[in-house]
Amino acid sequence: MKVIKRDIYLNKLINRKNNGLIKIITGIRRCGKSYLLFKLYYDYLLSIGVEKKNIIALSLDDDLNREYRNPDKLRDYIYERITDDNEQYYVLLDEVQFAISKSEMNSNEPLRIYGILNGLLRKNNVDIYVTGSNSRFLSSDIMSEFRGRGDEVRIYPLSFKEFYQASNLDKYDAFDEYQRYGGLPMLLNKQTGEEKEAYLNDVLKNTYIKDVIERHELRGNNAIDDVVNVLASDIGSLTNPYKLANTFKSHGINVSDMTISLYLEYLMDAFLISRAKRFDIKGKKYINTPYKYYFTDLGIRNSKLGFAQMEPTHIMENIIYNELLIRGYNVDVGIVDHVITKDNGKRQNVQLEVDFVCNKYSELIYIQSAFSLPDEEKMRQECASLDRINDSFKKIVITMDRTKPWRNEKGYLVLNLFDFLLDENSLKN
């Protein structure tokens, strides 16, 4: 397997070097956090002249290092290696949740490991980086645990560009693989479809779902597996806990909307899914429910459904959504109210949808995902919501049609999916 370039995340770590904060690398299990820190960033430090003795690297999930899962022994191990106050040291800790006991997980008291890491920050010559995959390292309140001393770097499974560059496939064959098996890096070591499906089935059942169940001590006949099934079947569809509860009830499964709401939060905390809120573009306000949910990795989604229901339009939409998150955009679903006059003369308010409203700093982009634009009527349908947005921000339609970038008569950019995915500047050009 080729070296997988993850420059977007490597550069984030480089830009944060010696910033006085604890760099916390988070993300779904098996997405490459350890590889980023212990291979790519470690090699970078060596390349700029940092000596090996000044890099204190420890993988706490390694059984050989199990004694350092005791926070006090871990603290002593680190301090014993900081021998010169005039030299800069880099502390790299992988899977730091192993230093958190079960009793601590169930307590509201500050965790010992956080106290140790915060204490290290008082030394002016220590720069700290940690990764974590479960326990409180999955929760949305991770930054509050560090009381303003943490700097989170979120890492995702491989983007299509990263996957394509690391594979030995042309872009079309690579895309077929990517949309079916997703972007978990270990898949590049698997040769057959059977091996890839077995790997995804295993990590879904024995890692992701198991983590959520153990983290939240779910017992008995809980419906979290059913929630994942429904979300996987309807990626990109509007839903909410009440609607899901009614769906389950119609199939003889009794679970309250409050319980489903909790399960959705658990799945988001575990980075398995992401939620896109609805935004009223004209009213400049958010609409509480329903929401859209997308899977962080399509291979996991497809595994949950036994690699059936491979709807290309929904899969394409999920891939675009993930790519926008990777590029650092805040992504919402746009709503545009439109008044039409019916044949009987009565006026009716109609809501039109913009697939993605993307914000980053002062940049705002409206994006429609259109699998194909075979004729002018289809183009008109896809652009109907964009036509009713009265501002000058970019409006883009992304399609699977094999076409060079072009603009329609209203100035909207029409962009091929591959041009979008393989050029990180495609939205800026």
Side-chain angles (χ1 to χ4, degrees):
M1 185 177 71
K2 295 180 180 178
V3 172
I4 303 174
K5 293 183 178 181
R6 312 221 65 184
D7 292 344
I8 187 171
Y9 308 111
L10 178 60
N11 289 332
K12 285 183 178 182
L13 293 183
I14 293 171
N15 292 337
R16 289 164 169 76
K17 186 165 71 72
N18 298 321
N19 68 354
L21 299 172
I22 300 168
K23 273 64 71 177
I24 309 157
I25 304 169
T26 64
I28 191 173
R29 289 260 218 161
R30 312 290 179 89
C31 70
K33 299 186 295 296
S34 302
Y35 181 82
L36 171 67
L37 187 59
F38 278 70
K39 169 61 179 174
L40 300 179
Y41 192 64
Y42 187 93
D43 287 351
Y44 164 77
L45 292 175
L46 295 178
S47 74
I48 62 172
V50 177
E51 296 186 32
K52 286 187 177 181
K53 68 179 180 65
N54 289 52
I55 305 175
I56 305 169
L58 199 62
S59 297
L60 294 178
D61 62 334
D62 190 330
D63 194 60
L64 295 175
N65 298 325
R66 63 181 303 120
E67 66 177 295
Y68 303 115
R69 297 172 187 173
N70 180 309
D72 294 324
K73 290 188 177 182
L74 176 61
R75 177 200 58 210
D76 294 343
Y77 175 88
I78 295 171
Y79 276 91
E80 285 171 3
R81 281 154 181 78
I82 302 174
T83 57
D84 190 334
D85 289 340
N86 296 314
E87 294 185 4
Q88 180 69 39
Y89 292 85
Y90 297 87
V91 175
L92 281 54
L93 299 179
D94 192 28
E95 304 291 4
V96 76
Q97 75 278 352
F98 278 90
I100 303 173
S101 67
K102 288 187 177 181
S103 61
E104 283 187 297
M105 285 187 217
N106 298 324
S107 170
N108 291 323
E109 296 297 317
L111 304 179
R112 286 281 294 124
I113 185 64
Y114 293 135
I116 291 169
L117 295 175
N118 284 330
L120 281 169
L121 282 183
R122 297 189 180 95
K123 298 183 72 65
N124 295 326
N125 63 332
V126 177
D127 197 22
I128 307 167
Y129 303 77
V130 302
T131 77
S133 292
N134 59 19
S135 304
R136 293 192 187 179
F137 269 83
L138 287 182
S139 70
S140 55
D141 63 356
I142 178 176
M143 301 309 294
S144 66
E145 297 280 4
F146 284 96
R147 295 173 176 80
R149 297 183 177 93
D151 192 352
E152 185 175 11
V153 175
R154 171 77 183 275
I155 182 171
Y156 294 86
L158 299 178
S159 67
F160 174 67
K161 182 177 182 178
E162 291 171 328
F163 179 86
Y164 170 53
Q165 290 177 335
S167 71
N168 295 315
L169 304 170
D170 67 41
K171 65 181 182 182
Y172 299 108
D173 288 340
F175 186 78
D176 287 343
E177 287 278 305
Y178 186 74
Q179 68 175 341
R180 182 174 181 84
Y181 300 117
L184 296 183
M186 189 60 67
L187 286 167
L188 291 167
N189 288 333
K190 310 296 181 184
Q191 299 302 314
T192 67
E194 183 180 5
E195 289 179 302
K196 294 168 186 176
E197 290 185 11
Y199 173 75
L200 289 168
N201 290 335
D202 179 67
V203 295
L204 173 63
K205 178 181 178 182
N206 297 318
T207 301
Y208 299 137
I209 301 299
K210 184 179 178 181
D211 272 353
V212 173
I213 290 173
E214 290 183 353
R215 162 74 175 95
H216 299 283
E217 297 185 333
L218 303 180
R219 296 289 183 266
N221 185 24
N222 66 75
I224 196 163
D225 204 52
D226 298 308
V227 171
V228 178
N229 273 332
V230 172
L231 295 178
S233 296
D234 290 322
I235 49 174
S237 296
L238 289 169
T239 192
N240 58 31
Y242 179 76
K243 182 178 178 180
L244 289 171
N246 285 336
T247 298
F248 293 148
K249 188 175 182 180
S250 68
H251 289 84
I253 303 172
N254 291 317
V255 56
S256 72
D257 56 333
M258 292 182 63
T259 297
I260 290 175
S261 181
L262 283 175
Y263 287 170
L264 291 171
E265 293 295 330
Y266 297 164
L267 293 169
M268 286 187 289
D269 261 359
F271 308 121
L272 274 172
I273 61 172
S274 297
R275 179 172 64 197
K277 298 178 181 179
R278 290 201 303 165
F279 182 72
D280 180 348
I281 295 173
K282 290 184 178 180
K284 305 297 182 185
K285 63 182 179 181
Y286 283 99
I287 303 171
N288 285 333
T289 62
Y291 303 119
K292 285 191 175 186
Y293 294 90
Y294 296 95
F295 274 74
T296 301
D297 182 77
L298 274 170
I300 295 302
R301 177 263 178 187
N302 295 337
S303 171
K304 194 72 185 75
L305 298 176
F307 298 90
Q309 299 185 37
M310 300 291 292
E311 312 93 336
T313 54
H314 294 160
I315 287 174
M316 174 180 165
E317 187 177 322
N318 203 140
I319 289 173
I320 293 172
Y321 176 80
N322 287 343
E323 179 67 25
L324 291 168
L325 293 184
I326 290 170
R327 296 186 189 185
Y329 289 97
N330 295 311
V331 185
D332 302 312
V333 177
I335 298 298
V336 182
D337 284 328
H338 170 53
V339 178
I340 62 172
T341 302
K342 301 178 72 174
D343 293 339
N344 59 9
K346 291 185 178 180
R347 293 165 63 84
Q348 179 181 354
N349 188 63
V350 177
Q351 280 193 339
L352 301 176
E353 186 175 282
V354 178
D355 288 330
F356 303 118
V357 179
C358 316
N359 291 275
K360 184 166 63 174
Y361 310 122
S362 60
E363 185 181 9
L364 175 62
I365 303 174
Y366 304 108
I367 294 177
Q368 289 292 89
S369 172
F371 186 78
S372 181
L373 298 168
D375 50 43
E376 291 185 6
E377 175 59 21
K378 182 62 175 176
M379 173 66 80
R380 187 192 66 77
Q381 293 172 6
E382 292 292 344
C383 295
S385 58
L386 300 179
D387 293 342
R388 290 163 177 81
I389 301 174
N390 298 317
D391 62 38
S392 58
F393 291 106
K394 287 183 182 178
K395 300 174 179 67
I396 298 174
V397 181
I398 299 177
T399 176
M400 276 294 291
D401 293 339
R402 298 190 183 185
T403 178
K404 292 182 179 180
W406 62 281
R407 293 186 183 277
N408 69 6
E409 70 279 1
K410 296 179 180 178
Y412 307 160
L413 176 64
V414 180
L415 194 62
N416 170 259
L417 179 64
F418 289 105
D419 290 331
F420 165 65
L421 295 174
L422 296 177
D423 180 3
E424 58 269 22
N425 295 312
S426 55
L427 300 182
K428 300 179 180 179
N429 295 333

